[in-house]
C-alpha cells in the first residue's frame, strides 16, 4: 500500500444481494504473521448490537475480521466500519443476530477444542487461521468474509492506500494524467 | 421513431440488441427493411455509466437465475453465474473490452487442420477467411477499429501496463503488439476519442468504445425502420402449420404478454438465452425445440479457454491507468501441436480494479487470509493477463432446461454444464507457465495464477454447419430446419477461434443482412 493523496469519491450503495450472489461459493495457502492485539470490538461499544452480542463476542468478531483480510497498517476503524451496516441490521434482524452469536460460539468451540482457549486468546495468527479454516464453509464465516471483501476493497475511502485510482472520468481519465508513465522499465 | 403494430406480419423480429442483433437491425434498416427489436433488459443512458466495478456489475449484468454444473472450479466459485454478460439495450457490447481481432485462416477449418480430436466435437466452418475478409473490413470500419487499414486510425498510446508486458515479451522472445481495439483514438463517427478512464468493461462513459447501445441502435431508429422494445422478455417463438415461424410471444416490463407477428425471426440473445429460446419453443411439430433436428441446439457450449495471471513487482505499474486491454502477446496464437496442445491462445494484457481483483485473485470460499491480503496490498505493483484460447467444442458442454425450477418469467431456469476438454487444461497450463516466465524476466517477485471466471465469451450453442445433421444453422446463420428463422449471435460459432468473438459476430451480422435482403427480394422467405 502507498500513501497517494486521497481523492473524493462518490459513496457506494446498493446491489448487496447481487454482489453476494456473485461472490457465493474455494484454496489458499495461509501464512502466519505477528498479530496485533486490539482491545476494541467490531461494533461500536455503545451500539445496541454490541450490547446484545456482548463485549467478548464483539472483540472476537473484530479479531476475526483482521485475521480474514489482514492489513496490519489499516486501522481498526476500517474493519469496524465494514461491519456497521451488519450490526445495524442485526439489531432488528433476529436471524442475523442468531447467525452472529451462534457463529462466534462455534468459532470459540473450535478454538477450545484445538487450543484449550477462546479464539480471542489464541496467541498467533497462524493458530487462529487453523480455527478459521475449520469453519470456513459455514454461512457465518462466508457472510463475514463477503461483507469484509466488499467493505475493505470496495471502500473508496481507502483505495488511495492501495494505490487504486477509482473513478476517473470526471477527472478526464488518464490521457493527460500519466497513463504512459513508468520509470523502471 | 417507428411504432409497429403487433399484427404487422411483414416485420423482421430481432431478439436481442447486442453485437449480433443491434448490428443486424441497423444493417437491415439501412436497406429499408423494417424490424422490431425485443430486448430483455432496460435502456440505459450515458449518465447511468459510472466508473465503479461493483455498481456497474449490479446495474447492467444479466443476473437472472442460472445454474453452473460440472466438475470445473467455476461451478463451485460461481454456482449461479456462468456468464458475465449484460441485460440491457446494447447487450454485451456495453461491457466488452473492445478487442477486435480477425479469425486466422486455419481457425475456420479446425477439423481439416487437426483431424478428429478424441472427446471433442470439432467441425469446419462452412465459410472461409477469404469469404469473411470483406465483411471483416466493413465491420472494422463500422466499429472504428484502431490500427487497421479500414479506419486508418492509429493505435492507442503505450500505457505503463503495456510497457511492462512488452519488455517481458521481448526478453523471452515472444511477440507482443498493441491491441486492435474498437475504441476511437480520434474523434470519429460522432463519437469522442478515448480518454483512458480505465473502465472499458463498465461501459464507456465517453462513448469512445463501440457499443450498439449508442451506435447501431440509434442509427437504426433514426431511419424510422426500427422499433426497439426494451424490457421485453421472449417467452416463445411460434410457428404456423407449415412449420414457418410467424411471431414471438413476449412479456413486457409489467409482466403483460404480447404476441408480435413476424415475417422473419432472428435470435440474438447470446449463447445461453438463444438456445434456451429455441428449446422453450418446443411444439407438437418440433418436440425437441425449434430448429433442433440435429439435436445440436444448446450443445457444444464454448467460452474460450481462460484464466488469469497477475504478477507482483517491486515498483509501481498502475495498470488501471490504461485502456483495459492495451496489448496482446500473440506468440502462441497459432496451431502448433508440438506445444502439447492443439489450437492457439492469446495473452491479453488486462487490468482489473482493486474491487474485482479482490474477488478474482482467489475466488470462492477459500479466498481470504494473509497471502491474498498481501497480494492485494501490492495492487498498484501488479501487471497481468487474461488468457484467451480456443476452446474445444464438447457436445456434453451444454445448455439445458431445469426440469422443475422456473424463473420470474415462468420459464425453466437454464442449466449450464461446462468443463475442460483435456486440450483446454493443457493449453491453460502452457499459458500459465509462459506467463510466469515472461513476468519473471522483468523482475516479478510473485506470480499469481487465477482460475477462470464467469464467461464473457459465450459461443457455439446453435452452431453453423455444412450439413443439417451436424449443426443448427447454415453458412448464413439461417436455421437448417426453418427458412425464416435465423441465429445472429455468437451461438452460431462452429469453433471458438482464439480471438475475442465480437468482430466476427458483427461481420457475420453484416453478411447475414445482405443474405436476408436477397432472400426477401426473391420471396424465398
Amino acid at each position: 500500500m502507498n500513501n497517494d493523496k486521497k481523492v473524493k469519491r462518490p459513496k457506494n450503495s446498493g446491489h448487496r444481494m447481487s454482489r453476494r450472489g456473485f461472490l457465493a461459493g474455494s484454496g489458499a495457502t495461509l501464512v502466519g504473521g505477528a498479530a496485533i492485539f486490539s482491545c476494541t470490538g467490531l461494533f461500536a461499544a455503545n451500539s445496541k448490537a454490541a450490547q446484545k452480542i456482548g463485549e467478548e463476542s464483539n472483540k472476537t468478531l473484530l479479531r476475526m475480521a483482521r485475521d480474514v483480510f489482514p492489513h496490519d497498517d489499516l486501522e481498526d476503524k476500517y474493519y469496524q466500519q465494514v461491519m456497521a451496516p451488519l450490526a445495524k441490521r442485526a439489531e432488528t434482524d433476529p436471524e442475523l443476530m442468531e447467525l452472529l452469536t451462534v457463529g462466534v460460539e462455534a468459532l470459540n468451540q473450535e478454538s477450545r477444542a484445538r487450543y484449550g482457549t477462546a479464539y480471542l486468546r489464541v496467541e498467533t495468527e497462524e493458530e487462529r487461521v487453523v480455527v478459521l479454516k475449520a469453519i470456513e464453509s459455514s454461512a457465518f464465516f462466508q457472510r463475514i468474509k463477503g461483507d469484509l471483501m466488499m467493505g475493505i476493497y470496495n471502500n473508496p475511502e481507502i483505495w488511495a492506500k492501495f494505490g487504486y485510482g477509482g473513478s476517473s472520468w470526471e477527472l478526464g481519465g488518464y490521457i493527460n494524467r500519466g497513463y504512459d508513465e513508468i520509470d523502471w522499465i | 421513431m417507428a411504432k409497429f403494430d403487433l399484427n404487422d406480419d411483414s416485420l423482421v423480429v430481432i431478439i436481442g440488441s447486442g453485437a449480433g442483433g443491434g448490428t443486424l437491425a441497423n444493417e437491415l434498416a439501412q436497406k429499408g427493411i423494417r424490424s422490431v427489436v425485443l430486448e430483455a433488459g432496460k435502456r440505459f443512458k450515458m449518465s447511468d455509466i459510472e466508473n465503479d466495478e461493483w455498481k456497474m456489475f449490479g446495474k447492467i449484468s444479466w443476473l437472472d437465475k442460472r445454474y453452473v454444473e460440472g466438475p470445473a472450479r467455476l461451478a463451485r466459485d460461481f454456482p449461479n453465474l456462468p456468464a458475465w454478460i449484460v441485460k440491457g439495450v446494447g447487450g454485451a457490447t456495453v461491457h466488452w473490452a473492445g478487442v477486435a481481432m480477425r479469425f486466422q485462416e486455419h481457425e475456420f477449418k479446425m477439423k481439416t487442420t487437426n483431424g478428429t480430436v478424441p472427446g471433442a466435437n470439432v467441425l469446419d466452418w462452412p465459410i472461409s477467411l477469404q469469404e469473411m475478409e470483406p465483411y471483416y473490413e466493413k465491420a472494422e470500419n463500422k466499429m472504428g477499429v484502431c490500427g487497421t487499414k479500414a479506419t486508418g486510425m492509429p493505435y492507442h498510446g503505450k500505457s505503463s501496463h503495456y510497457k511492462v508486458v512488452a519488455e517481458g515479451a521481448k526478453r523471452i522472445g515472444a511477440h507482443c503488439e498493441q491491441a486492435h481495439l474498437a475504441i476511437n483514438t480520434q474523434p470519429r463517427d460522432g463519437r469522442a476519442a478515448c480518454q483512458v478512464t480505465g473502465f472499458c468493461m463498465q461501459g464507456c462513459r465517453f462513448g469512445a468504445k463501440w457499443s450498439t447501445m449508442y451506435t447501431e441502435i440509434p442509427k437504426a431508429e433514426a431511419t424510422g425502420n426500427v422499433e426497439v422494445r426494451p424490457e421485453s422478455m421472449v417467452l416463445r417463438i411460434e410457428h404456423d402449420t407449415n412449420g414457418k415461424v410467424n411471431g414471438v410471444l413476449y412479456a413486457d416490463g409489467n409482466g403483460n404478454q404480447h404476441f408480435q407477428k413476424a415475417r422473419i425471426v432472428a435470435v440474438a440473445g447470446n449463447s445461453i438465452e438463444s438456445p434456451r429460446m429455441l428449446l422453450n419453443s418446443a411444439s407438437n411439430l418440433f418436440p425437441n425445440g425449434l430448429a433442433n433436428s440435429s439435436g445440436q441446439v444448446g450443445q457444444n457450449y464454448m467460452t474460450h479457454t481462460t484464466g488469469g495471471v497477475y504478477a507482483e513487482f517491486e515498483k509501481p505499474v498502475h495498470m488501471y491507468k490504461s485502456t483495459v486491454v492495451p496489448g496482446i502477446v500473440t506468440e502462441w496464437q497459432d496451431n502448433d501441436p508440438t506445444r502439447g496442445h492443439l489450437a492457439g491462445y492469446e495473452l491479453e494484457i488486462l487490468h482489473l480494479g482493486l474491487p474485482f481483483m479482490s474477488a478474482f485473485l482467489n475466488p470462492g470460499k477459500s479466498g481470504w487470509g494473509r497471502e491474498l491480503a498481501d497480494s492485494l496490498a501490492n495492487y498498484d505493483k501488479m501487471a497481468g493477463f487474461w488468457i484467451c484460447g480456443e476452446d474445444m467444442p464438447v457436445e456434453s458442454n451444454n445448455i439445458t432446461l431445469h426440469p422443475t425450477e422456473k424463473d420470474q418469467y415462468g420459464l425453466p431456469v437454464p442449466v449450464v454444464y461446462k468443463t475442460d476438454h483435456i486440450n483446454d487444461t493443457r493449453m491453460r497450463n502452457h499459458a500459465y507457465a509462459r506467463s510466469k516466465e515472461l513476468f519473471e524476466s522483468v523482475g516479478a517477485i510473485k506470480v499469481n495464477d487465477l482460475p477462470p471466471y464467469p464467461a464473457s465469451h459465450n459461443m457455439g450453442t446453435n452452431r453453423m454447419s455444412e450439413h443439417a445433421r451436424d449443426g443448427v444453422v447454415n453458412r448464413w446463420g439461417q436455421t437448417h430446419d426453418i427458412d425464416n428463422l435465423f441465429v445472429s449471435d455468437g451461438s452460431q460459432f462452429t469453433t471458438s477461434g482464439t480471438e475475442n468473438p465480437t468482430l466476427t459476430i458483427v461481420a457475420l451480422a453484416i453478411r447475414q443482412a445482405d443474405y436476408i435482403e436477397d432472400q426477401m427480394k426473391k420471396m424465398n422467405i
Side-chain angles (χ1 to χ4, degrees):
Chain A
M1 284 195 255
N2 64 29
N3 296 307
D4 287 356
K5 261 187 226 145
K6 276 190 191 176
V7 180
K8 272 215 164 183
R9 318 230 166 263
K11 279 256 178 201
N12 32 309
S13 67
H15 313 303
R16 187 162 285 278
M17 287 315 289
S18 55
R19 287 169 185 162
R20 192 168 298 113
F22 190 77
L23 294 167
S26 317
T29 316
L30 298 155
V31 184
I36 303 163
F37 186 77
S38 167
C39 59
T40 53
L42 194 52
F43 303 138
N46 58 356
S47 74
K48 265 198 217 161
Q51 288 162 16
K52 247 179 162 174
I53 199 168
E55 197 185 342
E56 179 82 5
S57 299
N58 189 15
K59 285 182 187 166
T60 302
L61 281 170
L62 178 63
R63 180 66 270 160
M64 178 182 164
R66 295 207 68 114
D67 289 338
V68 171
F69 293 115
H71 292 287
D72 299 341
D73 51 356
L74 202 59
E75 300 95 308
D76 279 351
K77 67 172 182 183
Y78 294 112
Y79 292 89
Q80 285 162 333
Q81 114 192 358
V82 169
M83 291 300 159
L86 190 64
K88 188 122 189 80
R89 252 199 318 283
E91 287 173 13
T92 53
D93 181 347
E95 246 174 77
L96 181 59
M97 185 55 81
E98 167 107 354
L99 183 82
L100 296 179
T101 48
V102 173
V104 172
E105 266 175 45
L107 181 70
N108 281 327
Q109 204 172 0
E110 190 65 42
S111 174
R112 282 191 203 95
R114 287 174 191 270
Y115 304 113
T117 185
Y119 183 79
L120 195 54
R121 275 171 281 281
V122 176
E123 265 180 47
T124 69
E125 178 180 324
E126 207 172 353
E127 290 171 318
R128 290 194 303 276
V129 159
V130 172
V131 175
L132 291 175
K133 194 79 194 156
I135 65 152
E136 178 188 275
S137 304
S138 68
F140 163 70
F141 181 91
Q142 290 299 324
R143 175 64 186 264
I144 299 284
K145 182 202 139 201
D147 282 20
L148 278 170
M149 182 178 278
M150 294 307 299
I152 292 177
Y153 306 112
N154 197 39
N155 180 0
E157 265 184 66
I158 46 180
W159 280 344
K161 290 179 188 282
F162 286 89
Y164 175 53
S167 185
S168 75
W169 72 268
E170 64 275 51
L171 304 169
Y174 294 102
I175 187 81
N176 299 312
R177 293 194 306 134
Y179 79 95
D180 56 350
E181 284 170 17
I182 188 158
D183 60 10
W184 58 273
I185 212 82
Chain B
M1 264 184 257
K3 192 136 180 55
F4 298 123
D5 194 280
L6 288 170
N7 288 311
D8 187 339
D9 59 4
S10 70
L11 303 168
V12 180
V13 173
I14 300 171
I15 306 167
S17 64
T23 302
L24 181 65
N26 188 29
E27 288 292 311
L28 291 176
Q30 302 300 331
K31 298 171 190 296
I33 299 170
R34 298 174 309 146
S35 68
V36 166
V37 177
L38 300 176
E39 166 55 53
K42 292 179 199 160
R43 189 187 279 252
F44 294 101
K45 300 186 293 289
M46 294 306 280
S47 56
D48 290 322
I49 295 175
E50 298 174 80
N51 288 174
D52 186 307
E53 292 181 313
W54 285 120
K55 264 193 195 172
M56 290 309 294
F57 176 82
K59 201 183 277 191
I60 66 174
S61 300
W62 188 289
L63 298 171
D64 293 2
K65 187 77 176 276
R66 286 169 172 169
Y67 286 102
V68 191
E69 297 284 349
R73 183 173 161 178
L74 186 77
R76 280 181 284 130
D77 291 348
F78 304 97
N80 299 115
L81 195 79
W84 182 3
I85 52 175
V86 174
K87 189 172 185 177
V89 172
T93 66
V94 179
H95 158 78
W96 79 310
V99 181
M101 303 166 81
R102 298 183 182 191
F103 266 41
Q104 303 162 74
E105 190 169 9
H106 72 271
E107 289 174 326
F108 287 100
K109 40 186 182 187
M110 289 305 281
K111 178 131 191 214
T112 301
T113 302
N114 293 312
T116 298
V117 180
N121 195 16
V122 183
L123 198 66
D124 288 352
W125 288 61
I127 48 178
S128 64
L129 176 63
Q130 206 182 3
E131 211 175 332
M132 286 295 287
E133 271 168 349
Y135 294 99
Y136 274 135
E137 179 111 9
K138 285 182 184 177
E140 287 164 351
N141 183 46
K142 173 193 284 292
M143 300 161 81
V145 182
C146 69
T148 59
K149 209 175 88 197
T151 66
M153 247 191 321
Y155 285 108
H156 294 252
K158 294 177 179 174
S159 67
S160 56
H161 196 195
Y162 178 84
K163 289 176 183 174
V164 172
V165 174
E167 179 61 26
K170 197 174 110 190
R171 291 189 190 177
I172 66 162
H175 182 73
C176 174
E177 59 186 37
Q178 288 190 265
H180 291 97
L181 300 173
I183 303 177
N184 282 349
T185 52
Q186 298 166 340
R188 184 179 186 275
D189 197 27
R191 293 186 286 120
C194 176
Q195 303 299 300
V196 197
T197 66
F199 285 89
C200 309
M201 286 162 62
Q202 283 63 48
C204 181
R205 174 78 189 208
F206 294 108
K209 179 186 78 178
W210 180 84
S211 168
T212 58
M213 172 185 161
Y214 41 76
T215 60
E216 306 311 305
I217 293 291
K219 283 182 183 181
E221 289 176 317
T223 65
N225 293 325
V226 174
E227 181 188 351
V228 178
R229 297 184 194 153
E231 295 182 82
S232 297
M233 181 70 183
V234 169
L235 306 173
R236 305 175 50 84
I237 301 164
E238 303 267 351
H239 61 79
D240 63 21
T241 50
N242 299 317
K244 301 287 173 212
V245 294
N246 60 6
V248 176
L249 182 71
Y250 68 95
D252 66 22
N254 299 315
N256 298 315
Q257 295 189 6
H258 308 278
F259 183 73
Q260 174 64 55
K261 286 188 179 173
R263 175 174 172 182
I264 295 166
V265 174
V267 178
N270 210 310
S271 292
I272 297 176
E273 293 305 312
S274 286
R276 183 184 182 214
M277 280 183 250
L278 299 181
L279 295 171
N280 275 330
S281 303
S283 64
N284 286 333
L285 193 59
F286 301 112
N288 300 319
L290 294 186
N292 198 17
S293 63
S294 64
Q296 296 291 304
V297 170
Q299 314 299 94
N300 313 301
Y301 171 63
M302 299 174 288
T303 62
H304 275 140
T305 296
T306 69
V309 183
Y310 283 87
E312 299 165 37
F313 295 90
E314 283 173 0
K315 293 182 176 169
V317 179
H318 294 128
M319 63 177 173
Y320 62 88
K321 298 181 182 178
S322 177
T323 52
V324 166
V325 181
I328 296 178
V329 179
T330 58
E331 184 68 25
W332 302 284
Q333 65 174 200
D334 60 333
N335 186 84
D336 177 5
T338 65
R339 290 199 298 263
H341 60 260
L342 304 171
Y345 65 86
E346 319 281 351
L347 294 178
E348 306 197 346
I349 310 171
L350 185 150
H351 73 257
L352 299 170
L354 178 68
F356 277 1
M357 188 61 76
S358 74
F360 290 137
L361 200 55
N362 184 8
K365 289 186 173 174
S366 299
W368 59 276
R370 188 163 289 273
E371 186 187 354
L372 178 66
D374 284 351
S375 288
L376 290 166
N378 279 334
Y379 173 77
D380 61 339
K381 304 180 191 73
M382 281 183 174
F385 292 127
W386 183 65
I387 302 163
C388 184
E390 177 152 355
D391 192 8
M392 284 295 134
V394 174
E395 204 169 347
S396 56
N397 284 333
N398 58 17
I399 315 301
T400 54
L401 305 176
H402 196 281
T404 53
E405 197 173 332
K406 305 270 203 294
D407 68 8
Q408 71 268 39
Y409 306 105
L411 299 170
V413 170
V415 179
V416 178
Y417 185 99
K418 179 73 174 84
T419 195
D420 269 5
H421 182 275
I422 185 66
N423 194 72
D424 306 341
T425 309
R426 289 175 179 145
M427 178 188 284
R428 185 181 298 110
N429 289 340
H430 190 274
Y432 282 149
R434 295 290 83 76
S435 300
K436 191 171 200 291
E437 197 183 346
L438 185 153
F439 286 126
E440 286 181 345
S441 79
V442 271
I445 49 177
K446 187 182 178 205
V447 180
N448 303 281
D449 292 345
L450 284 61
Y453 32 87
S456 291
H457 300 173
N458 298 271
M459 297 158 285
T461 50
N462 290 308
R463 74 177 183 180
M464 193 181 271
S465 64
E466 183 73 47
H467 305 291
R469 62 172 188 266
D470 297 324
V472 180
V473 300
N474 66 16
R475 60 203 321 278
W476 306 105
Q478 178 181 35
T479 62
H480 287 298
D481 299 351
I482 304 173
D483 288 346
N484 65 341
L485 176 61
F486 288 77
V487 174
S488 314
D489 59 14
S491 69
Q492 296 174 85
F493 283 26
T494 310
T495 50
S496 78
T498 172
E499 294 77 14
N500 306 49
T502 304
L503 182 74
T504 300
I505 295 172
V506 172
L508 286 171
I510 299 170
R511 180 172 169 273
Q512 186 178 66
D514 287 352
Y515 178 74
I516 290 175
E517 179 189 36
D518 174 69
Q519 292 298 299
M520 285 175 83
K521 277 187 185 152
K522 291 177 178 156
M523 297 303 287
N524 288 339
I525 49 176

